[in-house]
Amino acid sequence: MASKSIPPIDRVTDAFFALDSGYRFTYINERAQALLKRSRGELIGRVMWDELPRTIETQFPDGFYRAMDEQIPVSFEVYHTRLETWFEARAYPSEDGLSVFMRDITERKDRETKLAQNAAVVESIRDGVVVLDNGNRIVAVNEAIEANFGIGRSELLGEHVESLPQLASIDDEHSLEIGQAIDDVSVGAAEFRELEIPFTDRHGNERITELRLVPIEDDRANIAGIIRDVTKQRTHEQIIESLHELTRWLFQSEDPDEICSIAVHAGSDLLELPISGVWLLDDTQGYLDPVAGTAKAHDEFGGLPRFRPGEGLVWDVYESGESEYYEDLTEVEDLYNPSTPIRSEIIAPIGTHGVLMTGSFEPNRFDETDVDLVSTLVENANVALDRAEQDQLLRKRTDQLEQQTQRLEAVANVLSNDLKEQIQTISDALEIDDEATDDSISVSDESVETTLVRTERLVDDVREFARNSRSVRTRSPIDFGTAIETAVARSELDGTALEVETVATLRADEDRFVRLLEIVFDDVAARCTGETTVKIGTIDKEEGGRGFFIADDAETGSSGPHDRLSDPTGSDDLALPGLGLVLARVIAEAHDWTVETTESGDGTRIEFHDITTLDVIKA
């Protein structure tokens, strides 16, 4: 039996159908029947739009009408939703109708979509990507390559990879290194290679890139190179290394102001922070005092301000103990100076010592890396200041021990002389009493009481003098007049002799300040032989600064006030028993004040200087 002949068109693997000028089916092959899920008998002689209404919403109508109207071949791609298949349709016109071929291109479309997605990813990443074919010619680059090297794609695509080092001004040594790495990956000698290459960017800046070469499997490509700019990272590492070196410099200094100066200028030179300053807390005054600043900071602002509690962002950061970065100060409230030209700044606390501030005239000038580097700088400065503070305390303690030894020697002399004198007085009185013939006590109670009071005073003075007198407890605000009243009440001086000329306040150890006044008043009382006037007022000199004076017109005695301030063992009939004015000097020096004395025919004047916390209250 003869085999049935198969029309040639049915042997075509593509779907094929023919339409007449009215778009009626005139032929449909088996592949098209399977695709449309309709038989020839159902479609021949029928209009395509009537039988397949969903095709009206596709590209078929526009494409077919154009082919018929213009009598030109057309092709277009169409997606079959029900079949989830992409087709490429090609229509060839004639006077009688259209011959239509449809080819399944789903696999190709999937591949193109995947390539497009990959390309989008490659384009979106910041790292540069260059792809090489088997002949090491560049077949693809992303935008990052263009941006980093300032080279257009047209200059690279199709060129041998050797052109890239030339265009990026990479030296011969590193160019050879790149070529060897490409060969190693290409022949499978290495799974990947990583290189660090210096290059020059399009602005002429020297930069460093990290190149990673990996093999890829693709019809057109053989190797992909991922290029990452690590200039900032390497610069950061160099700065960190320099900051560690800076720590050694900081530790070599024992002066807090010098440590702060080193930190500020290191920030200016290493971190490129030209407008910077450091403020340290003044324990006495209670404010943040500027101790170091860059030249540009002083040039721009003519000096740096002090910050008192609650004043400005600097104080806020010091109080919180947390670094802050202000991107745009125009958006920040409660500025110390609302009209400041500074637009962005970093403020970092230096432990409990103070703060470092760096600013810029540009908003958003800094980033998190800058904040981290400033934090590292202040941490190193904090450790150095802690160490300097400990060294100062150690030296101070050593000095105190030496001074205490000297004081104890003086105390021994006082105990040897003055106590013996007081005991001898009581002994003499008791001997006189033994010689009395009657049984009554002839020793004067007042005489014994006076001697015992003098002895008790001596013991108190010795205790004050022998202890660590160069340190004071917490300084607190004191009313000058109130302290004077308390001291007079405790002293031997008649309060009516006082004339207080000024109303003022100061910060000091209240108990010891009152004791200082009491000692001076007792010294005056010991020298009084008649009516005496004691004047107290404040002074403010160019040398010595603010302070106060106590002037009297009592007799001066055989030793002057200077001698009584410096020698507790001196002999003077009019001198205060015990250690006397030496204690007043010791208490003043413990507050970091200086003492001066003058003597004239009108009496004695003692001045206490360098009392920076003394404030005169004007009436």
Side-chain angles (χ1 to χ4, degrees):
M1 180 175 167
S3 61
K4 185 177 179 181
S5 63
I6 300 175
I9 199 65
D10 278 343
R11 300 192 186 109
V12 177
T13 57
D14 292 343
F16 171 81
F17 59 87
L19 303 174
D20 63 14
S21 58
Y23 302 101
R24 298 179 183 87
F25 285 101
T26 60
Y27 181 81
I28 180 170
N29 72 355
E30 291 182 0
R31 176 68 176 135
Q33 293 179 76
L35 172 65
L36 301 176
K37 295 187 181 303
R38 301 288 292 275
S39 66
R40 287 192 182 98
E42 294 175 308
L43 294 177
I44 296 299
R46 298 182 180 275
V47 177
M48 179 177 180
W49 319 130
D50 295 338
E51 296 301 317
L52 304 170
R54 291 184 180 180
T55 58
I56 297 176
E57 300 176 0
T58 67
Q59 296 94 321
F60 281 112
D62 290 340
F64 289 178
Y65 290 150
R66 180 170 175 244
M68 289 293 291
D69 292 344
E70 300 180 17
Q71 287 294 298
I72 59 173
V74 296
S75 64
F76 51 87
E77 295 174 355
V78 61
Y79 182 69
H80 196 296
T81 304
R82 182 168 56 82
L83 297 178
E84 297 183 349
T85 304
W86 277 96
F87 292 97
E88 179 187 54
R90 288 173 291 142
Y92 299 93
S94 68
E95 294 181 359
D96 299 329
L98 290 172
S99 296
V100 181
F101 293 87
M102 293 180 64
R103 174 176 297 174
D104 185 343
I105 59 170
T106 303
E107 185 177 339
R108 191 194 81 193
K109 292 293 289 185
D110 289 344
R111 187 168 60 251
E112 289 177 353
T113 300
K114 192 173 295 184
L115 288 172
Q117 291 172 343
N118 292 340
V121 171
V122 170
E123 289 293 350
S124 66
I125 62 177
R126 296 182 179 180
D127 294 342
V129 177
V130 56
V131 181
L132 309 179
D133 64 13
N134 294 330
N136 291 340
R137 295 192 175 278
I138 300 173
V139 294
V141 296
N142 67 347
E143 289 184 3
I145 290 289
E146 297 181 273
N148 289 336
F149 293 98
I151 306 170
R153 295 191 193 202
S154 59
E155 299 179 69
L156 295 173
L157 294 179
E159 297 294 326
H160 195 276
V161 70
E162 292 178 351
S163 64
L164 185 57
Q166 295 172 0
L167 293 170
S169 301
I170 297 174
D171 60 40
D172 293 342
E173 180 182 352
H174 289 96
S175 297
L176 290 172
E177 204 175 338
I178 294 172
Q180 183 61 53
I182 292 173
D183 291 343
D184 290 346
V185 174
S186 179
V187 300
E191 292 184 2
F192 66 90
R193 286 290 306 274
E194 284 185 348
L195 306 173
E196 196 163 282
I197 307 294
F199 73 99
T200 304
D201 68 12
R202 58 180 174 174
H203 302 296
N205 299 316
E206 297 294 329
R207 307 189 68 81
I208 300 173
T209 185
E210 186 178 79
L211 171 63
R212 182 181 176 88
L213 297 166
V214 295
I216 58 175
E217 296 181 3
D218 187 84
D219 295 340
R220 298 190 311 140
N222 182 40
I223 293 176
I226 297 90
I227 302 173
R228 173 171 295 176
D229 189 337
V230 294
T231 306
K232 195 167 187 179
Q233 178 182 339
R234 296 295 176 264
T235 302
H236 178 79
E237 291 170 354
Q238 291 173 0
I239 291 174
I240 291 295
E241 185 177 344
S242 298
L243 287 177
H244 289 316
E245 179 67 26
L246 172 67
T247 303
R248 289 191 282 273
W249 301 346
L250 293 172
F251 280 5
Q252 291 173 2
S253 175
E254 298 177 352
D255 178 40
D257 289 359
E258 183 180 25
I259 289 172
C260 294
S261 179
I262 292 172
V264 162
H265 290 93
S268 176
D269 297 338
L270 295 177
L271 310 183
E272 298 182 355
L273 307 173
I275 305 176
S276 302
V278 169
W279 287 256
L280 293 183
L281 181 68
D282 187 314
D283 292 322
T284 302
Q285 299 287 356
Y287 53 58
L288 290 169
D289 197 31
V291 296
T294 58
K296 189 168 184 179
H298 286 285
D299 292 344
E300 293 291 342
F301 303 103
L304 302 176
R306 288 172 174 163
F307 293 99
R308 299 183 183 276
E311 289 184 343
L313 302 177
V314 168
W315 186 270
D316 291 344
V317 169
Y318 173 75
E319 197 169 49
S320 70
E322 298 291 337
S323 298
E324 293 288 348
Y325 169 36
Y326 301 95
E327 297 178 349
D328 190 345
L329 290 179
T330 60
E331 300 175 357
V332 179
E333 298 179 354
D334 300 326
L335 295 179
Y336 176 79
N337 177 16
S339 60
T340 177
I342 296 292
R343 284 294 170 265
S344 58
E345 65 184 13
I346 300 172
I347 307 176
I350 310 175
T352 58
H353 300 286
V355 296
L356 181 146
M357 186 279 284
T358 184
S360 171
F361 297 130
E362 302 174 10
N364 304 298
R365 160 65 175 76
F366 308 107
D367 56 24
E368 289 303 317
T369 299
D370 294 317
V371 175
D372 291 341
L373 291 173
V374 170
S375 297
T376 301
L377 176 61
V378 297
E379 286 171 9
N380 291 343
N382 181 45
V383 173
L385 288 171
D386 283 343
R387 180 177 178 275
E389 189 176 79
Q390 292 170 0
D391 289 346
Q392 286 183 346
L393 288 174
L394 181 60
R395 288 195 300 273
K396 187 175 182 181
R397 183 57 180 161
T398 301
D399 292 343
Q400 288 173 345
L401 289 173
E402 293 176 356
Q403 293 164 1
Q404 194 168 32
T405 300
Q406 296 173 359
R407 287 198 298 272
L408 289 174
E409 291 176 356
V411 167
N413 291 331
V414 171
L415 289 173
S416 174
N417 298 323
D418 212 348
L419 277 178
K420 286 181 180 180
E421 180 182 340
Q422 306 306 323
I423 293 172
Q424 185 63 47
T425 300
I426 296 176
S427 177
D428 291 345
L430 291 175
E431 287 179 3
I432 294 172
D433 181 56
D434 288 340
E435 295 174 359
T437 57
D438 56 12
D439 295 333
S440 62
I441 299 176
S442 61
V443 178
S444 169
D445 290 343
E446 182 178 352
S447 174
V448 173
E449 181 179 357
T450 300
T451 301
L452 292 175
V453 168
R454 291 167 65 88
T455 304
E456 183 180 3
R457 173 66 62 84
L458 176 61
V459 172
D460 289 342
D461 287 356
V462 168
R463 183 183 298 113
E464 174 73 22
F465 191 69
R467 76 182 176 125
N468 188 4
S469 299
R470 285 196 172 273
S471 63
V472 294
R473 291 173 295 180
T474 303
R475 304 186 190 206
S476 58
I478 300 173
D479 180 77
F480 194 44
T482 302
I484 292 172
E485 292 176 2
T486 303
V488 169
R490 296 178 181 175
S491 73
E492 299 296 327
L493 184 67
D494 182 358
T496 59
L498 279 180
E499 294 182 7
V500 182
E501 300 178 353
T502 311
V503 178
T505 62
L506 73 159
R507 293 174 66 92
D509 181 333
E510 185 171 6
D511 289 340
R512 302 191 72 186
F513 179 63
V514 170
R515 179 69 177 129
L516 179 151
L517 295 174
E518 180 186 352
I519 291 168
V520 177
F521 294 157
D522 279 342
D523 179 75
V524 177
R527 294 184 284 106
C528 283
T529 57
E531 185 176 345
T532 300
T533 301
V534 180
K535 295 183 178 181
I536 304 177
T538 56
I539 51 180
D540 191 353
K541 295 183 177 180
E542 185 172 340
E543 293 185 5
R546 286 174 286 181
F548 68 93
F549 70 87
I550 302 176
D552 67 78
D553 55 7
E555 292 187 32
T556 59
S558 58
S559 63
H562 178 76
D563 294 332
R564 298 199 303 278
L565 278 166
S566 58
D567 183 9
T569 63
S571 175
D572 189 340
D573 293 339
L574 295 179
L576 182 68
L579 300 178
L581 290 182
V582 173
L583 277 182
R585 174 180 60 79
V586 169
I587 294 172
E589 290 175 351
H591 285 82
D592 298 321
W593 304 339
T594 56
V595 186
E596 291 183 2
T597 60
T598 57
E599 180 184 358
S600 65
D602 297 329
T604 301
R605 178 183 173 101
I606 302 176
E607 295 183 354
F608 298 87
H609 297 282
D610 298 314
I611 308 177
T612 58
T613 60
L614 182 69
D615 290 322
V616 176
I617 300 175
K618 297 182 180 180

